[in-house]
Structures are given as C-alpha cells and as structure tokens.
Amino acid sequence: MAFYEKELAVREPLVVAGRHVKRYEVVTPGLEITDDIRDAAYAFLPKIYPDFEDPTPPATVTVLHRSAAGMYLNAYNWVWDNVLHCRTAVSGDQPFLGSTDPDLTHFTVIPKDLIGCVWELPPLAHERAAWVRHVLEPDTPDFEGYLADVMAEGLVGR
C-alpha cells in the first residue's frame, strides 16, 4: 500500500449534546466532505460519547475522514481529567467495519477496537499537548484557551 499525504482542515468548534467539540477533517485528494455528510456525522456523534458521567470539562476532539472507501468519524473524549476515551463510527459500504449502507450520511458504530489511522492520529499529538498546556498545568484551567488551540491546517500523515 502506497503512502501519500492527505489534507487536514480545521472547522469551528461546536457544542453537541453538551460537549464542546473541536473538529478536524482529513480528506483524500480529489474527494470532499459535503455539508450533508458533516451534518449527519455531528447528529450521530452523541452515540459515540462516553456512556458514563465524569466531572472533566466536557471536551471532545473529532476527526472526520473522507477516504475512497467511505467516511470515518473518530471521537476522542477527555475523561478522568487526563484520559482519552475513543469511539469511532463509519459510513459507506465497508462490511468489515460493520457498515453495509453505501450512503455516506448513514453512520454506524465501528464494533472493533480501533483508534485511528496514520492520517487521523496527528491531531492527537497536538491535542494532548494543548490539554496539558491549558487544562492540567495551570493553577486555574483555561478551558477556553484549550478550545482555541488547534493544529495548523495543511498536509497530514507524516
């Protein structure tokens, strides 16, 4: 399998079902993420939130990834102050991941223990450092500073 860079974009944060969501998008060259796919992904997002209560500031980092095979929605949710809870969803005809509907707006939870591919993981390094810098290190956590601190757009994967 050949490696090539993909494009990383940053979208404005949202609040979805009470969680502040920092949004990254990864796109395979020649493809795009349309608004209907975006809307479907964020409507589905609460289904992959943690299923337990936690006093950690309600922050989620998403990576919405368009590949030739379909769509992936990774939700990295901060819990227990310093732990990432990860759940993922898929759309498109990808039976090995639990999705058989070719409609890219029909997401389903991936039943496998996956955390992301080489193009989806680079934002996590940035987000880990930003969480430490803005939430864990200061005497008074700067949650708004964390939400504003995003990885730069551009090529991703290396």
Side-chain angles (χ1 to χ4, degrees):
M1 172 178 251
F3 177 83
Y4 54 91
E5 294 280 2
K6 294 187 180 189
E7 192 68 32
L8 176 76
V10 178
R11 295 284 177 180
E12 288 295 317
L14 299 173
V15 176
V16 179
R19 293 187 71 85
H20 296 267
V21 180
K22 294 175 76 172
R23 303 184 304 152
Y24 294 96
E25 293 182 354
V26 173
V27 180
T28 298
L31 299 176
E32 67 176 323
I33 298 174
T34 56
D35 286 339
D36 61 329
I37 294 171
R38 224 175 258 114
D39 292 346
Y42 289 100
F44 189 86
L45 181 61
K47 294 178 182 174
I48 54 177
Y49 281 167
D51 57 1
F52 51 88
E53 293 297 318
D54 180 74
T56 305
T60 295
V61 176
T62 61
V63 178
L64 185 60
H65 180 181
R66 175 78 191 264
S67 77
M71 293 298 307
Y72 309 95
L73 174 63
N74 300 346
Y76 305 104
N77 307 282
W78 286 107
V79 298
W80 303 329
D81 294 330
N82 59 16
V83 173
L84 276 176
H85 166 278
C86 176
R87 291 189 74 201
T88 54
V90 62
S91 68
D93 188 16
Q94 300 181 74
F96 63 99
L97 293 176
S99 179
T100 57
D101 186 337
D103 188 331
L104 296 180
T105 66
H106 294 169
F107 284 86
T108 187
V109 174
I110 294 177
K112 299 182 183 322
D113 298 329
L114 306 173
I115 62 167
C117 71
V118 296
W119 296 282
E120 297 160 354
L121 294 176
L124 287 185
H126 175 89
E127 291 301 322
R128 180 236 172 245
W131 188 258
V132 169
R133 189 171 42 254
H134 295 287
V135 178
L136 297 180
E137 283 183 335
D139 291 335
T140 303
D142 179 10
F143 190 60
E144 293 302 317
Y146 167 72
L147 293 175
D149 189 337
V150 295
M151 186 175 170
E153 292 184 320
L155 294 177
V156 68
R158 293 220 185 258

